[in-house]
Amino acid sequence: MLPREDIHNFADASLEIILKFDDHGNVLYANASAKGELGYGEELTGISLDKLLPAELHLQEGGFSLEAALQMTEGMMYRKNGTCFPVQMAVKQGSGQNLLFANNIAQRVETERKLVRMKEEMEETLKVRNEFVANVTHELRTPVNGIRGHVTNLLENGVSGEVKGTLDIIIRCCDNMSAIINNILDFSKLEAGKFVIEEKEFNFYKMVNHTVETNIPAINGKGLRIMVNIDKTIPEYLIGDELRLTQILNNFLSNAVKFTSVGYINIEVTKTVQFDDEIELFFVVSDTGIGISPEEKDKLFKSFSQVDASITRKYGGTGLGLAITKQLIELMQGSVHLDSEKGKGSSFSFSVRLHVAQKEKEENLVSEHFEFINQNQEMPGYDNVEKFFQFGTPENVQEIQGKMEKLILCMEVEAWDKAENFAHNIKELLEQAPKDLKRAAFRLEMNVRKADHDKSVEQYESLKAVFEEAIGGM
Ligand code: ADP
């Protein structure tokens, strides 16, 4: 055993407060840290622990209780000058001599208190911000709906062609504005963790059909093709948040339409897991559009991020859609993935977990009522997409001829918005063509953009002639 002096030397070197006391609570020895922290000199020896830890030990009526002292783990230790500090303690019992080890945890407690205060402040700021967002978006929604309503009235009362064009643009602007307002509101709710996923019964096939249907005008307007394939083993009635699932699917689909000018959009839905009434569905939305490079991929799914500023100018949007979609998918216990190659199209896939409803399956409903679902057309892989753009391939020629037919029709009925899309498609499809053809396609697009009927028809005929000559000679 070490001599007492050595033990005291070791104890004095410790940063911890060490006190030795008898069974009556009288201090027999105090190390240097104890004296320093408590502001005592040698007189600390002989003092009762009651005085140092009054709150903890005075709780026991009838004075010092060794039993109570042995229970102490945390408390307030008092200095000679009456000030106090929080400590963490351990008390060890010996025969007639006991040891108390204590650490001053004032700094830790203060840090914890600061953290709690910061968290409360952050929560308060977030709350104020969310209330502000909720109020502002509500205030914005009212006038936007008002404008839209009045313009719809004007359109219903019959207006001239030119005015109708302007009013249509106003309606489209209102719809864009409403979509942005909804996105901001959703984003703020998701951030505040206030988003609740509903659990209601819905018809899954109807939901997909409706989502596709709302995008059909845009798909047709751009002359794209769409295919939808749903695994027939998916029950018709499911339980989940129909509105949010629609929002997720619609976001991928409308992006696919927005960023594709030639080719196809394909939607596939398969059942990956079904256990009892739980079901996991796997969706793939692929397109033959502009694609996304690996560097750009990392930026996606983050709020307010679009792959580059030119995208915002050309296609609009807030860059909130995918960030919201990703969080919604995660709330439905799923995940999202992107496969893409710049210039060759994108394929977004995601899974969600839903429940199967108890309802009977209504036979044949799917095939009878859903025109877009399970159309068995061949969807070309990414490799084939190149053939669209490679001048002179059968795919390229056929695509150009198709677009030319649609273009002349649109020009004849003066649907200039659509005509501009087709003229743009044709120009893209002729990207690898000889110079004279490329120039003709460029001039055609310019005239169509100016909505100049006569010049557009003239330019159309001239492009057609050069095109037929070029492919005739191939
Ligand atoms: P936004 O509301 O602006 O469309 P999103 O979050 O939905 O925002 O999309 C963010 C960006 O991701 C888009 O601006 C675009 O650059 C890119 N993106 C999304 N979907 C596609 C797609 N199918 N093809 C190419 N780029 C895409």
Side-chain angles (χ1 to χ4, degrees):
M1 205 171 140
L2 285 169
R4 173 179 299 205
E5 210 162 298
D6 280 351
I7 295 176
H8 285 180
N9 280 341
F10 283 136
D12 277 341
S14 166
L15 294 174
E16 206 170 18
I17 295 171
I18 302 174
L19 296 170
K20 187 158 78 177
F21 61 97
D22 64 18
D23 291 349
H24 305 289
N26 298 313
V27 174
L28 303 172
Y29 161 79
N31 74 342
S33 286
K35 287 176 199 153
E37 289 270 16
L38 296 164
Y40 284 92
E42 291 307 321
E43 72 276 19
L44 189 52
T45 313
I47 272 182
S48 170
L49 271 191
D50 277 359
K51 203 167 174 180
L52 301 176
L53 292 147
E56 283 65 34
L57 295 167
H58 281 176
L59 288 175
Q60 312 302 315
E61 278 186 30
F64 179 80
S65 144
L66 181 61
E67 215 175 297
L70 290 169
Q71 304 293 320
M72 294 188 305
T73 52
E74 280 197 4
M76 279 299 199
M77 226 172 185
Y78 279 74
R79 296 188 184 95
K80 190 177 180 184
N81 65 10
T83 59
C84 60
F85 55 93
V87 283
Q88 206 168 33
M89 299 176 277
V91 182
K92 300 278 174 236
Q93 190 178 15
S95 54
Q97 293 189 349
N98 312 288
L99 283 171
L100 180 145
F101 301 91
N103 273 315
N104 183 343
I105 55 166
Q107 222 163 5
R108 202 188 80 194
V109 170
E110 182 53 24
T111 312
E112 277 169 6
R113 215 175 281 152
K114 265 192 199 153
L115 277 173
V116 170
R117 218 179 302 139
M118 265 166 64
K119 191 168 166 268
E120 281 169 0
E121 276 171 15
M122 260 173 64
E123 276 168 2
E124 184 57 26
T125 313
L126 207 63
K127 197 172 140 221
V128 172
R129 202 184 72 182
N130 286 329
E131 276 168 13
F132 173 77
V133 171
N135 288 337
V136 170
T137 43
H138 178 75
E139 294 300 326
L140 283 173
R141 196 175 284 172
T142 315
V144 173
N145 287 344
I147 298 169
R148 201 185 190 288
H150 285 295
V151 174
T152 311
N153 277 346
L154 284 176
L155 280 168
E156 278 167 5
N157 290 338
V159 283
S160 70
E162 203 175 313
V163 176
K164 183 180 177 303
T166 311
L167 296 183
D168 282 338
I169 293 172
I170 297 177
I171 293 262
R172 238 179 295 147
C173 291
C174 288
D175 291 344
N176 284 344
M177 186 99 161
S178 293
I180 293 169
I181 292 170
N182 289 340
N183 268 351
I184 293 173
L185 199 58
D186 279 354
F187 182 72
S188 139
K189 265 199 222 154
L190 281 162
E191 244 205 343
K194 279 198 189 148
F195 215 94
V196 186
I197 290 290
E198 284 216 1
E199 289 282 312
K200 269 202 191 138
E201 188 175 296
F202 68 98
N203 185 317
F204 177 71
Y205 291 79
K206 265 193 188 162
M207 185 282 294
V208 177
N209 201 62
H210 177 72
T211 313
V212 175
E213 229 168 28
T214 50
N215 284 281
I216 286 294
I219 292 170
N220 287 343
K222 295 182 91 173
L224 300 171
R225 280 168 234 178
I226 173 132
M227 254 92 59
V228 184
N229 254 302
I230 301 187
D231 178 349
K232 284 276 180 52
T233 63
I234 298 173
E236 191 158 354
Y237 288 95
L238 298 175
I239 295 173
D241 199 324
E242 180 181 9
L243 197 74
R244 296 307 175 181
L245 192 56
T246 307
Q247 185 177 346
I248 295 169
L249 186 59
N250 188 54
N251 192 40
F252 288 124
L253 180 56
S254 58
N255 273 348
V257 180
K258 190 153 118 183
F259 298 107
T260 306
S261 50
V262 180
Y264 296 77
I265 291 161
N266 191 36
I267 301 177
E268 296 271 345
V269 194
T270 43
K271 182 173 83 179
T272 41
V273 181
Q274 185 170 0
F275 184 71
D276 280 343
D277 69 335
E278 239 190 71
I279 185 167
E280 187 185 74
L281 301 183
F282 184 69
F283 292 71
V284 184
V285 181
S286 32
D287 62 58
T288 56
I290 60 171
I292 299 161
S293 69
E295 308 83 64
E296 294 167 344
K297 256 191 225 176
D298 297 339
K299 290 193 219 155
L300 293 179
F301 303 110
K302 292 195 184 129
S303 39
F304 302 105
S305 96
Q306 293 181 316
V307 295
D308 67 56
S310 66
I311 295 264
T312 321
R313 285 194 297 276
K314 189 164 171 199
Y315 300 97
T318 52
L320 272 179
L322 288 178
I324 293 171
T325 306
K326 180 172 183 270
Q327 291 192 57
L328 288 178
I329 290 171
E330 282 164 4
L331 281 178
M332 295 191 189
Q333 292 147 59
S335 57
V336 57
H337 181 78
L338 164 66
D339 277 312
S340 182
E341 214 178 304
K342 191 97 185 155
K344 290 195 176 181
S346 313
S347 179
F348 284 90
S349 53
F350 66 97
S351 58
V352 286
R353 273 180 185 264
L354 302 162
H355 289 97
V356 178
Q358 290 308 317
K359 213 163 182 164
E360 289 270 323
K361 199 174 146 108
E362 290 173 33
E363 290 298 330
N364 296 328
L365 194 64
V366 177
S367 50
E368 272 176 27
H369 298 285
F370 302 102
E371 52 179 312
F372 306 111
I373 293 172
N374 300 328
Q375 293 172 356
N376 286 321
Q377 292 182 49
E378 277 293 301
M379 165 79 178
Y382 287 155
D383 291 347
N384 289 353
V385 174
E386 270 177 4
K387 293 186 187 154
F388 281 121
F389 297 99
Q390 197 183 329
F391 181 66
T393 61
E395 287 85 351
N396 176 262
V397 171
Q398 199 186 352
E399 201 66 27
I400 294 171
Q401 283 166 336
K403 301 280 175 200
M404 296 275 282
E405 277 166 25
K406 285 179 182 148
L407 170 62
I408 191 73
L409 274 175
C410 290
M411 278 160 42
E412 286 313 330
V413 297
E414 307 239 355
W416 293 111
D417 261 7
K418 284 186 185 167
E420 193 182 324
N421 266 327
F422 290 126
H424 182 72
N425 292 164
I426 293 165
K427 195 185 79 181
E428 280 187 328
L429 289 160
L430 287 170
E431 202 56 44
Q432 297 173 21
K435 262 195 196 132
D436 53 342
L437 255 172
K438 278 174 73 171
R439 265 191 230 124
F442 179 76
R443 277 195 294 268
L444 176 59
E445 191 189 1
M446 297 315 287
N447 286 317
V448 170
R449 202 172 276 172
K450 284 189 221 145
D452 185 329
H453 177 267
D454 295 347
K455 283 227 175 83
S456 296
V457 173
E458 194 182 304
Q459 195 53 49
Y460 175 87
E461 293 301 341
S462 125
L463 173 70
K464 199 163 173 234
V466 193
F467 177 63
E468 275 163 8
E469 198 186 308
I471 57 169
M474 285 182 90

